[in-house]
């Protein structure tokens, strides 16, 4: 199973872009990169996912390097409500291909006024 | 849809008692996951079901833990007997069967065993 490495914590000024890196150097060709976040005391919330192309939605952008060994989640204009733990996950593709999500320790993003 | 619904939100019980946590997945979702979260170990996958059938229970810590999914709209996680080290927040999540779709999480059950 591909493992991910994230910095334990980051700070970002309110209104600025937050760029959260993730290394997944052992990712396989058919594995997706997922990002979730967990705001204090809540269940994890899906943000975005991608395979090899960059992706954008109303919450964030996901930039995946050409070799797919790393990615960056971008929150274009961080707000105080974006303070959370952000998890980068590589979907495990088992024999039944149900894709269980294995969470690491994540990055705690603190958005400061 | 109201999302994934878990009950109770909080549970305090004495050591040795049986505890049952409940989960109602989003209608139409056919994959269901149970996670446990503690400060020390983070988010751990305990078990997941596909079409009501347990696919992987390798994360279940020991025989005191059991999970069932009698139908597509209900699942339980039972701990018998409970121990203080079982204190944690337990999350349920559901997803449609397509393997690259996102999972939706409930608000969790905070279990305290005293």
């Amino acid at each position: 199973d591909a493992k991910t490495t994230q910095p334990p914590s980051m700070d970002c000024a309110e209104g600025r872009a937050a760029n959260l890196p993730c290394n997944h150097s052992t990712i396989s060709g058919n594995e997706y990169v997922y990002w979730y976040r967990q705001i204090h005391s809540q269940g994890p919330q899906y943000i975005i996912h991608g395979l090899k192309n960059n992706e954008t939605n109303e919450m964030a952008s996901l930039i995946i390097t050409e070799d797919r060994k790393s990615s960056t989640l971008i929150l274009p204009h961080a707000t105080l409500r974006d303070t959370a733990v952000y998890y980068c996950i590589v979907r495990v593709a088992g024999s039944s291909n149900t894709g269980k999500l294995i969470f690491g320790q994540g990055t705690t993003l603190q958005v400061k006024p | 849809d109201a999302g994934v619904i878990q009950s109770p939100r909080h549970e305090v019980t004495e050591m040795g008692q049986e505890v049952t946590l409940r989960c109602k997945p989003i209608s139409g979702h056919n994959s269901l996951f149970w996670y446990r979260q503690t400060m020390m170990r983070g988010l751990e996958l305990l078990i997941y079901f596909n079409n009501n059938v347990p696919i992987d229970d390798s994360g279940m810590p020991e025989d005191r833990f059991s999970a069932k999914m009698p139908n597509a709209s209900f699942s339980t996680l039972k701990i018998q007997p409970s121990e203080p080290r079982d204190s944690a927040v337990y999350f349920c999540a559901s997803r449609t069967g397509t393997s690259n779709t996102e999972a939706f999480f409930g608000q969790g059950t905070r279990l305290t065993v005293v």
Side-chain angles (χ1 to χ4, degrees), chain B residues 18-105:
Chain B
E18 177 180 295
V19 175
T20 299
L21 311 181
R22 297 172 175 80
C23 175
K24 182 180 186 309
I26 292 173
S27 177
H29 285 189
N30 57 356
S31 292
L32 184 140
F33 305 80
W34 282 101
Y35 287 85
R36 177 174 69 175
Q37 186 170 35
T38 61
M39 288 292 292
M40 290 295 293
R41 300 175 68 91
L43 265 167
E44 302 173 277
L45 177 64
L46 300 178
I47 185 172
Y48 73 92
F49 295 84
N50 198 38
N51 293 321
N52 311 337
V53 176
I55 301 298
D56 185 345
D57 64 355
S58 60
M60 296 287 263
E62 49 197 274
D63 292 345
R64 297 185 297 106
F65 285 68
S66 62
K68 294 182 179 180
M69 192 164 187
N71 56 61
S73 60
F74 184 65
S75 176
T76 59
L77 177 67
K78 184 178 294 187
I79 308 172
Q80 166 63 22
S82 59
E83 297 181 3
R85 59 192 170 121
D86 301 331
S87 297
V89 181
Y90 291 81
F91 289 102
C92 175
S94 71
R95 188 185 67 196
T96 60
T98 305
S99 59
N100 65 341
T101 58
E102 67 267 32
F104 294 83
F105 284 76

Coordinates of all heavy atoms in Angstrom, one line a residue, chain B residues 18-105:
Chain B
E18 N -21.8 -3.8 28.0 CA -21.9 -3.9 26.6 C -22.3 -2.5 26.0 O -23.1 -1.8 26.5 CB -23.0 -4.9 26.2 CG -23.2 -5.0 24.7 CD -24.3 -6.1 24.4 OE1 -24.1 -7.3 24.6 OE2 -25.3 -5.7 23.8
V19 N -21.7 -2.2 24.9 CA -21.9 -0.9 24.2 C -22.3 -1.2 22.8 O -21.6 -2.0 22.1 CB -20.7 0.0 24.2 CG1 -20.9 1.3 23.5 CG2 -20.3 0.3 25.7
T20 N -23.3 -0.6 22.3 CA -23.7 -0.7 20.9 C -23.8 0.7 20.2 O -24.6 1.5 20.7 CB -25.1 -1.4 20.7 OG1 -25.0 -2.7 21.3 CG2 -25.5 -1.6 19.3
L21 N -23.0 0.8 19.2 CA -23.1 2.1 18.4 C -23.8 1.8 17.1 O -23.7 0.7 16.5 CB -21.6 2.5 18.1 CG -20.7 2.6 19.3 CD1 -19.3 3.1 18.9 CD2 -21.2 3.4 20.4
R22 N -24.5 2.8 16.6 CA -25.4 2.6 15.5 C -25.1 3.6 14.4 O -24.6 4.7 14.6 CB -26.9 2.7 15.9 CG -27.3 1.7 16.9 CD -28.7 2.0 17.5 NE -29.1 0.9 18.4 CZ -28.8 0.8 19.6 NH1 -27.9 1.6 20.2 NH2 -29.2 -0.2 20.3
C23 N -25.4 3.1 13.2 CA -25.1 3.9 12.0 C -26.1 3.7 10.9 O -26.4 2.6 10.6 CB -23.7 3.6 11.4 SG -23.3 4.5 9.9
K24 N -26.6 4.8 10.4 CA -27.5 4.8 9.2 C -26.8 5.4 8.0 O -26.6 6.6 8.1 CB -28.8 5.5 9.5 CG -29.8 5.4 8.4 CD -31.1 6.2 8.8 CE -32.2 6.1 7.7 NZ -31.7 6.4 6.3
P25 N -26.4 4.6 7.0 CA -25.7 5.2 5.9 C -26.6 6.1 5.0 O -27.8 6.0 5.2 CB -25.1 4.0 5.2 CG -26.1 2.9 5.5 CD -26.6 3.2 6.9
I26 N -26.0 6.8 4.1 CA -26.8 7.6 3.1 C -27.5 6.6 2.2 O -26.9 5.6 1.8 CB -25.8 8.5 2.3 CG1 -25.3 9.6 3.3 CG2 -26.6 9.1 1.2 CD1 -24.2 10.5 2.6
S27 N -28.7 6.9 1.9 CA -29.5 6.0 1.1 C -28.9 5.8 -0.3 O -28.4 6.8 -0.9 CB -30.9 6.6 0.9 OG -31.7 5.8 0.1
G28 N -28.8 4.6 -0.7 CA -28.2 4.3 -2.0 C -26.7 4.0 -1.9 O -26.1 3.5 -2.9
H29 N -26.1 4.3 -0.8 CA -24.6 3.9 -0.6 C -24.5 2.5 -0.3 O -25.3 2.0 0.6 CB -24.0 4.8 0.4 CG -23.7 6.2 0.0 ND1 -23.0 7.1 0.8 CD2 -24.1 6.8 -1.1 CE1 -22.9 8.2 0.1 NE2 -23.5 8.1 -1.0
N30 N -23.6 1.7 -0.9 CA -23.5 0.3 -0.6 C -22.2 -0.1 0.0 O -21.9 -1.3 0.2 CB -23.8 -0.6 -1.8 CG -22.9 -0.2 -3.0 OD1 -22.1 0.7 -2.9 ND2 -23.0 -1.0 -4.0
S31 N -21.4 0.9 0.4 CA -20.1 0.6 1.2 C -20.2 1.3 2.5 O -20.6 2.5 2.5 CB -18.9 1.0 0.4 OG -18.7 0.2 -0.8
L32 N -19.9 0.7 3.5 CA -19.9 1.3 4.9 C -18.7 1.0 5.6 O -18.2 -0.1 5.6 CB -21.2 0.8 5.6 CG -21.4 1.4 7.0 CD1 -22.9 1.6 7.2 CD2 -20.8 0.6 8.1
F33 N -18.2 2.0 6.3 CA -16.9 1.9 7.1 C -17.1 2.3 8.5 O -17.8 3.2 8.8 CB -15.9 2.8 6.4 CG -15.7 2.6 5.0 CD1 -16.5 3.2 4.0 CD2 -14.6 1.9 4.5 CE1 -16.3 3.0 2.7 CE2 -14.4 1.8 3.1 CZ -15.2 2.3 2.2
W34 N -16.4 1.6 9.4 CA -16.3 2.0 10.8 C -14.9 2.4 11.1 O -13.9 1.6 10.8 CB -16.7 0.9 11.7 CG -18.2 0.7 11.9 CD1 -19.0 -0.2 11.3 CD2 -19.1 1.5 12.7 NE1 -20.3 -0.1 11.6 CE2 -20.4 1.0 12.5 CE3 -18.9 2.6 13.6 CZ2 -21.5 1.5 13.2 CZ3 -20.0 3.1 14.2 CH2 -21.3 2.5 14.0
Y35 N -14.7 3.6 11.7 CA -13.4 4.0 12.1 C -13.4 4.4 13.6 O -14.4 4.7 14.2 CB -13.0 5.3 11.4 CG -12.6 5.2 9.9 CD1 -13.6 5.2 8.9 CD2 -11.3 5.1 9.5 CE1 -13.3 5.1 7.6 CE2 -11.0 5.0 8.2 CZ -12.0 5.0 7.2 OH -11.6 4.8 5.9
R36 N -12.2 4.3 14.2 CA -12.0 4.7 15.6 C -10.9 5.8 15.6 O -9.9 5.7 14.9 CB -11.6 3.5 16.5 CG -11.3 3.9 17.9 CD -11.1 2.6 18.7 NE -9.8 2.0 18.4 CZ -9.3 0.9 19.0 NH1 -10.0 0.4 20.0 NH2 -8.2 0.3 18.6
Q37 N -11.1 6.8 16.4 CA -10.1 7.9 16.5 C -9.7 8.2 17.9 O -10.6 8.4 18.8 CB -10.6 9.2 15.8 CG -9.6 10.3 15.8 CD -10.0 11.5 14.9 OE1 -11.2 11.9 14.9 NE2 -9.1 12.1 14.2
T38 N -8.4 8.1 18.2 CA -7.9 8.5 19.5 C -6.7 9.4 19.2 O -6.2 9.5 18.1 CB -7.4 7.3 20.3 OG1 -6.3 6.6 19.5 CG2 -8.5 6.3 20.5
M39 N -6.3 10.2 20.3 CA -5.2 11.0 20.1 C -3.9 10.3 19.8 O -3.1 10.7 19.0 CB -5.0 11.8 21.4 CG -6.0 12.9 21.7 SD -5.9 14.2 20.5 CE -4.3 15.0 21.0
M40 N -3.8 9.1 20.4 CA -2.5 8.4 20.3 C -2.4 7.7 18.9 O -1.3 7.6 18.3 CB -2.4 7.3 21.4 CG -2.2 7.8 22.8 SD -0.6 8.6 22.9 CE 0.5 7.2 22.7
R41 N -3.5 7.2 18.4 CA -3.5 6.3 17.2 C -4.1 7.0 16.0 O -4.1 6.4 14.9 CB -4.1 5.0 17.5 CG -3.4 4.2 18.6 CD -4.2 2.9 19.0 NE -4.1 2.0 17.9 CZ -3.1 1.1 17.8 NH1 -2.2 1.0 18.7 NH2 -3.1 0.2 16.7
G42 N -4.7 8.1 16.1 CA -5.3 8.8 15.0 C -6.6 8.0 14.6 O -7.3 7.4 15.3
L43 N -6.9 8.2 13.3 CA -8.1 7.5 12.7 C -7.7 6.1 12.2 O -6.9 6.0 11.3 CB -8.6 8.3 11.5 CG -9.7 9.3 11.7 CD1 -9.8 10.2 10.5 CD2 -11.0 8.6 12.0
E44 N -8.3 5.1 12.8 CA -8.0 3.7 12.4 C -9.3 3.1 11.7 O -10.4 3.2 12.3 CB -7.7 2.9 13.6 CG -6.6 3.3 14.5 CD -6.5 2.5 15.7 OE1 -7.2 2.8 16.7 OE2 -5.7 1.5 15.7
L45 N -9.1 2.5 10.6 CA -10.2 1.7 10.0 C -10.4 0.4 10.7 O -9.4 -0.4 10.9 CB -9.9 1.5 8.5 CG -10.9 0.6 7.8 CD1 -12.2 1.4 7.7 CD2 -10.4 0.3 6.3
L46 N -11.6 0.2 11.2 CA -11.9 -1.1 12.0 C -12.4 -2.1 11.0 O -11.9 -3.3 11.0 CB -12.9 -0.8 13.1 CG -12.5 0.2 14.1 CD1 -13.7 0.4 15.1 CD2 -11.3 -0.2 14.8
I47 N -13.4 -1.8 10.2 CA -14.0 -2.8 9.4 C -14.8 -2.1 8.3 O -15.2 -0.9 8.4 CB -15.0 -3.7 10.2 CG1 -15.6 -4.8 9.3 CG2 -16.1 -2.8 10.8 CD1 -16.5 -5.8 10.1
Y48 N -14.9 -2.7 7.1 CA -15.8 -2.1 6.1 C -16.6 -3.2 5.4 O -16.2 -4.4 5.3 CB -15.1 -1.2 5.1 CG -14.2 -1.9 4.1 CD1 -14.7 -2.3 2.8 CD2 -12.9 -2.1 4.3 CE1 -13.9 -2.8 1.9 CE2 -12.0 -2.7 3.4 CZ -12.6 -3.0 2.2 OH -11.8 -3.6 1.2
F49 N -17.8 -2.8 5.0 CA -18.8 -3.7 4.4 C -19.0 -3.2 2.9 O -19.0 -2.0 2.7 CB -20.2 -3.6 5.1 CG -20.2 -4.1 6.5 CD1 -19.8 -3.3 7.6 CD2 -20.6 -5.4 6.8 CE1 -19.8 -3.7 8.9 CE2 -20.6 -5.8 8.1 CZ -20.2 -5.0 9.1
N50 N -19.3 -4.1 2.1 CA -19.7 -3.8 0.7 C -21.0 -4.7 0.5 O -20.9 -5.9 0.6 CB -18.6 -4.2 -0.3 CG -18.8 -3.5 -1.6 OD1 -19.3 -2.4 -1.7 ND2 -18.5 -4.2 -2.7
N51 N -22.1 -4.0 0.1 CA -23.3 -4.7 -0.1 C -23.7 -5.6 1.1 O -24.1 -6.7 1.0 CB -23.3 -5.5 -1.4 CG -23.2 -4.7 -2.6 OD1 -23.8 -3.6 -2.7 ND2 -22.4 -5.1 -3.6
N52 N -23.5 -5.0 2.3 CA -23.9 -5.6 3.6 C -23.0 -6.7 4.0 O -23.2 -7.3 5.1 CB -25.3 -6.1 3.6 CG -26.3 -5.1 3.1 OD1 -26.1 -3.9 3.1 ND2 -27.5 -5.5 2.6
V53 N -22.0 -7.0 3.2 CA -21.1 -8.1 3.5 C -19.7 -7.6 4.1 O -19.2 -6.7 3.4 CB -20.8 -9.0 2.3 CG1 -19.8 -10.1 2.6 CG2 -22.1 -9.6 1.8
P54 N -19.3 -8.1 5.2 CA -18.0 -7.6 5.7 C -16.8 -8.0 4.8 O -16.7 -9.2 4.5 CB -17.8 -8.3 7.1 CG -18.8 -9.4 7.1 CD -19.9 -9.1 6.1
I55 N -16.1 -7.1 4.3 CA -15.0 -7.3 3.3 C -13.6 -7.5 4.0 O -12.8 -8.3 3.7 CB -14.9 -6.2 2.3 CG1 -16.3 -6.1 1.5 CG2 -13.8 -6.5 1.3 CD1 -16.7 -7.4 0.8
D56 N -13.4 -6.6 5.0 CA -12.1 -6.6 5.7 C -12.3 -6.2 7.1 O -12.7 -5.0 7.4 CB -11.2 -5.6 5.0 CG -9.8 -5.6 5.5 OD1 -9.6 -6.2 6.6 OD2 -8.9 -5.1 4.9
D57 N -12.1 -7.0 8.0 CA -12.2 -6.7 9.5 C -10.9 -6.8 10.2 O -10.8 -7.0 11.4 CB -13.3 -7.6 10.2 CG -12.8 -9.1 10.2 OD1 -11.8 -9.4 9.6 OD2 -13.5 -9.9 10.8
S58 N -9.8 -6.7 9.4 CA -8.5 -6.8 10.0 C -8.1 -5.7 11.0 O -7.2 -5.9 11.8 CB -7.4 -6.8 8.9 OG -7.5 -5.6 8.1
G59 N -8.9 -4.6 10.9 CA -8.7 -3.5 11.9 C -9.4 -3.7 13.2 O -9.2 -2.9 14.1
M60 N -10.3 -4.7 13.3 CA -11.0 -4.9 14.6 C -10.0 -5.3 15.6 O -9.3 -6.3 15.4 CB -12.1 -5.9 14.4 CG -13.2 -5.5 13.4 SD -14.2 -4.2 14.1 CE -15.6 -5.3 14.6
P61 N -9.9 -4.6 16.7 CA -8.8 -4.8 17.7 C -8.8 -6.2 18.3 O -7.8 -6.8 18.5 CB -9.0 -3.7 18.7 CG -10.3 -3.1 18.5 CD -10.7 -3.4 17.1
E62 N -9.9 -6.7 18.6 CA -10.0 -8.0 19.3 C -11.4 -8.5 19.3 O -12.3 -7.9 18.8 CB -9.4 -7.9 20.7 CG -10.0 -6.8 21.5 CD -9.2 -6.4 22.8 OE1 -9.4 -7.1 23.8 OE2 -8.3 -5.6 22.7
D63 N -11.6 -9.7 19.9 CA -12.9 -10.4 19.8 C -14.0 -9.7 20.6 O -15.1 -10.0 20.4 CB -12.8 -11.8 20.3 CG -11.9 -12.7 19.4 OD1 -11.7 -12.3 18.3 OD2 -11.5 -13.8 19.9
R64 N -13.6 -8.7 21.4 CA -14.6 -8.0 22.1 C -15.4 -7.1 21.1 O -16.5 -6.6 21.5 CB -14.0 -7.1 23.2 CG -13.3 -7.9 24.3 CD -12.8 -7.0 25.4 NE -11.8 -6.1 24.9 CZ -12.0 -4.8 24.7 NH1 -13.2 -4.3 25.0 NH2 -11.0 -4.0 24.3
F65 N -14.9 -6.8 20.0 CA -15.5 -6.0 19.0 C -16.2 -6.8 17.9 O -15.6 -7.8 17.4 CB -14.5 -5.1 18.3 CG -14.0 -3.9 19.1 CD1 -13.2 -4.2 20.2 CD2 -14.3 -2.6 18.8 CE1 -12.7 -3.1 21.0 CE2 -13.8 -1.6 19.6 CZ -13.0 -1.8 20.7
S66 N -17.4 -6.4 17.6 CA -18.1 -7.1 16.5 C -19.0 -6.1 15.8 O -19.4 -5.1 16.4 CB -19.0 -8.2 17.0 OG -20.0 -7.7 17.9
A67 N -19.1 -6.3 14.5 CA -19.9 -5.3 13.7 C -20.9 -6.1 12.8 O -20.5 -7.2 12.3 CB -19.0 -4.4 12.8
K68 N -22.1 -5.6 12.6 CA -23.0 -6.2 11.7 C -23.7 -5.2 10.8 O -23.7 -4.0 11.1 CB -24.1 -6.9 12.6 CG -23.7 -8.1 13.4 CD -24.8 -8.7 14.2 CE -24.3 -9.9 15.0 NZ -25.4 -10.5 15.8
M69 N -24.2 -5.7 9.7 CA -24.9 -4.9 8.8 C -26.1 -5.7 8.3 O -26.0 -6.3 7.2 CB -24.1 -4.3 7.6 CG -24.7 -3.2 6.9 SD -23.6 -2.3 5.8 CE -24.7 -1.0 5.2
P70 N -27.2 -5.7 9.0 CA -28.3 -6.6 8.7 C -29.0 -6.2 7.4 O -29.7 -7.1 6.7 CB -29.2 -6.5 9.9 CG -28.9 -5.2 10.5 CD -27.4 -5.0 10.3
N71 N -29.0 -4.9 7.0 CA -29.6 -4.5 5.8 C -28.8 -3.2 5.3 O -27.9 -2.7 6.0 CB -31.1 -4.2 6.0 CG -31.3 -3.2 7.1 OD1 -30.9 -2.1 7.0 ND2 -32.1 -3.6 8.1
A72 N -29.2 -2.7 4.2 CA -28.5 -1.6 3.5 C -28.6 -0.3 4.3 O -27.9 0.7 4.0 CB -29.0 -1.5 2.1
S73 N -29.5 -0.2 5.2 CA -29.7 1.1 5.9 C -29.4 1.1 7.4 O -29.7 2.0 8.1 CB -31.2 1.5 5.7 OG -32.0 0.5 6.3
F74 N -28.6 0.1 7.8 CA -28.3 0.0 9.2 C -27.1 -0.8 9.5 O -27.0 -1.9 9.0 CB -29.5 -0.5 10.0 CG -29.4 -0.5 11.5 CD1 -29.3 0.7 12.2 CD2 -29.4 -1.7 12.2 CE1 -29.2 0.7 13.6 CE2 -29.3 -1.7 13.6 CZ -29.2 -0.5 14.3
S75 N -26.3 -0.3 10.4 CA -25.1 -1.1 10.9 C -24.9 -0.8 12.4 O -25.2 0.2 12.9 CB -23.9 -0.7 10.1 OG -22.7 -1.4 10.6
T76 N -24.3 -1.8 13.0 CA -24.0 -1.7 14.4 C -22.6 -2.1 14.7 O -22.0 -3.0 14.0 CB -24.9 -2.5 15.4 OG1 -24.8 -3.9 15.0 CG2 -26.3 -2.1 15.3
L77 N -22.0 -1.4 15.7 CA -20.6 -1.8 16.2 C -20.8 -2.1 17.7 O -21.3 -1.2 18.4 CB -19.6 -0.7 15.9 CG -18.2 -1.0 16.5 CD1 -17.5 -2.1 15.7 CD2 -17.3 0.3 16.4
K78 N -20.5 -3.3 18.1 CA -20.7 -3.7 19.5 C -19.4 -4.0 20.1 O -18.5 -4.6 19.6 CB -21.6 -4.9 19.5 CG -22.1 -5.3 20.9 CD -23.0 -6.5 20.8 CE -24.3 -6.1 20.2 NZ -25.3 -7.3 20.3
I79 N -19.3 -3.5 21.4 CA -18.1 -3.8 22.2 C -18.7 -4.5 23.5 O -19.5 -4.0 24.2 CB -17.4 -2.6 22.6 CG1 -17.0 -1.7 21.4 CG2 -16.1 -2.9 23.4 CD1 -16.5 -0.3 21.7
Q80 N -18.2 -5.7 23.7 CA -18.6 -6.5 24.8 C -17.5 -7.5 25.3 O -17.2 -8.4 24.5 CB -19.9 -7.3 24.5 CG -20.3 -8.4 25.4 CD -20.7 -7.9 26.8 OE1 -21.0 -6.8 27.0 NE2 -20.6 -8.8 27.8
P81 N -17.0 -7.3 26.5 CA -17.2 -6.2 27.4 C -16.4 -5.0 27.1 O -15.3 -5.2 26.6 CB -16.8 -6.9 28.8 CG -15.7 -7.8 28.4 CD -16.1 -8.3 27.0
S82 N -16.8 -3.9 27.5 CA -16.1 -2.6 27.2 C -15.0 -2.4 28.3 O -15.1 -2.9 29.4 CB -17.0 -1.4 27.2 OG -17.7 -1.3 28.4
E83 N -13.9 -1.8 27.8 CA -12.8 -1.5 28.7 C -12.4 0.0 28.5 O -12.7 0.6 27.5 CB -11.6 -2.3 28.3 CG -11.8 -3.8 28.5 CD -10.6 -4.7 28.1 OE1 -9.5 -4.1 27.8 OE2 -10.7 -5.9 28.2
P84 N -11.8 0.6 29.6 CA -11.4 2.0 29.5 C -10.6 2.4 28.2 O -10.8 3.5 27.7 CB -10.6 2.2 30.7 CG -11.2 1.3 31.7 CD -11.5 0.0 30.9
R85 N -9.8 1.5 27.7 CA -9.0 1.8 26.6 C -9.8 1.8 25.3 O -9.3 2.2 24.2 CB -7.8 0.7 26.4 CG -8.3 -0.7 26.2 CD -7.2 -1.7 26.4 NE -7.6 -3.1 26.5 CZ -7.2 -4.0 25.6 NH1 -6.4 -3.7 24.6 NH2 -7.6 -5.3 25.8
D86 N -11.0 1.4 25.3 CA -11.9 1.6 24.2 C -12.5 3.0 24.1 O -13.1 3.3 23.1 CB -13.1 0.6 24.3 CG -12.7 -0.8 24.4 OD1 -11.6 -1.2 23.9 OD2 -13.4 -1.6 25.1
S87 N -12.2 3.8 25.0 CA -12.7 5.2 24.9 C -12.1 5.9 23.7 O -10.8 5.9 23.5 CB -12.3 6.0 26.2 OG -12.9 5.4 27.3
A88 N -12.9 6.5 22.9 CA -12.5 7.0 21.6 C -13.7 7.7 21.0 O -14.9 7.6 21.5 CB -11.9 6.0 20.7
V89 N -13.5 8.3 19.8 CA -14.6 8.7 19.0 C -14.7 7.7 17.8 O -13.7 7.4 17.1 CB -14.4 10.1 18.4 CG1 -15.6 10.5 17.5 CG2 -14.2 11.1 19.5
Y90 N -15.9 7.2 17.6 CA -16.1 6.2 16.6 C -16.9 6.8 15.4 O -18.0 7.4 15.7 CB -16.9 5.0 17.2 CG -16.0 4.2 18.1 CD1 -15.9 4.6 19.4 CD2 -15.4 3.0 17.7 CE1 -15.1 3.9 20.3 CE2 -14.6 2.3 18.6 CZ -14.4 2.7 19.9 OH -13.6 2.0 20.8
F91 N -16.4 6.7 14.2 CA -17.0 7.3 13.1 C -17.5 6.2 12.1 O -16.8 5.2 11.9 CB -16.0 8.2 12.3 CG -15.7 9.5 13.0 CD1 -14.5 9.6 13.6 CD2 -16.6 10.5 13.0 CE1 -14.1 10.8 14.3 CE2 -16.2 11.7 13.6 CZ -15.0 11.9 14.2
C92 N -18.6 6.5 11.5 CA -19.1 5.6 10.5 C -19.1 6.5 9.2 O -19.3 7.7 9.2 CB -20.6 5.2 10.8 SG -21.4 4.3 9.5
A93 N -18.8 5.8 8.1 CA -18.8 6.5 6.8 C -19.4 5.6 5.7 O -19.4 4.4 5.9 CB -17.4 6.8 6.4
S94 N -20.0 6.2 4.7 CA -20.6 5.4 3.6 C -20.2 6.0 2.3 O -19.8 7.2 2.2 CB -22.1 5.3 3.8 OG -22.8 6.6 3.5
R95 N -20.3 5.2 1.3 CA -19.9 5.6 -0.1 C -20.7 4.7 -1.1 O -21.1 3.6 -0.8 CB -18.4 5.4 -0.2 CG -17.8 5.9 -1.5 CD -16.3 5.5 -1.5 NE -16.2 4.0 -1.6 CZ -15.0 3.4 -1.4 NH1 -14.0 4.1 -1.0 NH2 -14.9 2.1 -1.5
T96 N -20.9 5.2 -2.3 CA -21.4 4.4 -3.3 C -20.3 3.4 -3.8 O -19.1 3.6 -3.5 CB -21.8 5.2 -4.6 OG1 -20.7 5.9 -5.1 CG2 -22.9 6.2 -4.2
G97 N -20.7 2.3 -4.4 CA -19.8 1.2 -4.7 C -18.7 1.5 -5.6 O -17.7 0.9 -5.6
T98 N -18.9 2.5 -6.4 CA -17.8 2.9 -7.4 C -16.5 3.2 -6.6 O -16.6 4.1 -5.7 CB -18.2 4.0 -8.3 OG1 -19.4 3.7 -8.9 CG2 -17.1 4.3 -9.3
S99 N -15.4 2.6 -6.9 CA -14.3 2.7 -6.0 C -13.6 4.0 -5.9 O -12.9 4.3 -5.0 CB -13.2 1.6 -6.5 OG -12.8 1.9 -7.8
N100 N -13.8 4.9 -6.9 CA -13.1 6.2 -6.8 C -14.1 7.3 -6.3 O -13.8 8.5 -6.6 CB -12.4 6.6 -8.1 CG -13.4 6.8 -9.2 OD1 -14.6 6.3 -9.1 ND2 -13.0 7.4 -10.2
T101 N -15.2 7.0 -5.7 CA -16.0 8.0 -5.2 C -15.6 8.4 -3.7 O -14.9 7.6 -3.1 CB -17.5 7.6 -5.2 OG1 -17.6 6.4 -4.4 CG2 -18.0 7.4 -6.6
E102 N -16.1 9.6 -3.3 CA -15.7 10.0 -1.9 C -16.6 9.3 -0.9 O -17.8 9.0 -1.1 CB -15.8 11.5 -1.8 CG -17.2 12.1 -1.9 CD -17.6 12.5 -3.3 OE1 -17.1 11.8 -4.3 OE2 -18.4 13.4 -3.5
A103 N -16.1 9.2 0.3 CA -16.8 8.7 1.5 C -17.4 9.9 2.3 O -16.7 10.9 2.4 CB -15.9 7.8 2.3
F104 N -18.5 9.7 2.8 CA -19.2 10.7 3.7 C -19.2 10.2 5.1 O -19.6 9.0 5.3 CB -20.6 11.0 3.2 CG -20.7 11.6 1.8 CD1 -20.6 10.9 0.7 CD2 -20.8 13.0 1.7 CE1 -20.6 11.5 -0.6 CE2 -20.8 13.6 0.4 CZ -20.7 12.8 -0.7
F105 N -18.8 11.0 6.0 CA -18.7 10.6 7.4 C -19.8 11.1 8.2 O -20.3 12.2 8.0 CB -17.4 11.1 8.0 CG -16.1 10.3 7.6 CD1 -15.6 10.5 6.3 CD2 -15.6 9.4 8.4 CE1 -14.5 9.7 5.9 CE2 -14.5 8.6 8.0 CZ -13.9 8.8 6.8

